[in-house]
Amino acid sequence: MNCGICGTGRLSPIGELMNTTDGQAAPLIRFARPGLFRARPSYEAYYARACRDCGALVPFLGGRELRLLNEEIDSLEDVEGYVDGY
C-alpha cells in the first residue's frame, strides 16, 4: 500500500483513531443522496495508517461501517461543490 498524497510505501502499521478529550467524534465520510429530504449517510473511520514521509493520515472504515457503505453504495452521490480533478 502506498500513501495517496506522496506515493511512498513507508506507512505505519494500522492504528486506532481515538476521540479527543473535547468529545470530538472520529472522522466521518459523508455522502449525498438524490432527493430533497433523503438522509445523508455518514460513516466513521476508526482506523488509520500514517505516512512516515509526509505525515498524511490514511483512514479506514471498520468492518461494520464498510458493510453498511457497500449496502448503500448504489444510492450515494458526490457531495455538492466537488469538482473533478480535486
Side-chain angles (χ1 to χ4, degrees):
M1 172 178 221
N2 292 334
C3 174
I5 303 300
C6 72
T8 184
R10 292 175 26 92
L11 299 176
S12 72
I14 294 176
E16 185 177 9
L17 293 172
M18 303 295 294
N19 295 343
T20 61
T21 56
D22 64 3
Q24 181 178 344
L28 296 174
I29 183 168
R30 191 172 198 185
F31 296 93
R33 277 194 173 144
L36 189 57
F37 297 108
R38 301 263 332 248
R40 291 184 60 195
S42 59
Y43 306 91
E44 289 190 17
Y46 292 105
Y47 305 99
R49 292 183 188 265
C51 177
R52 295 173 45 204
D53 289 330
C54 74
L57 287 180
V58 181
F60 297 89
L61 300 176
R64 178 181 176 277
E65 298 284 307
L66 181 58
R67 188 182 84 259
L68 291 171
L69 172 66
N70 282 320
E71 288 173 2
E72 296 184 325
I73 198 71
D74 291 333
S75 69
L76 304 179
E77 295 183 345
D78 291 334
V79 296
E80 279 189 40
Y82 173 81
V83 178
D84 285 336
Y86 286 112

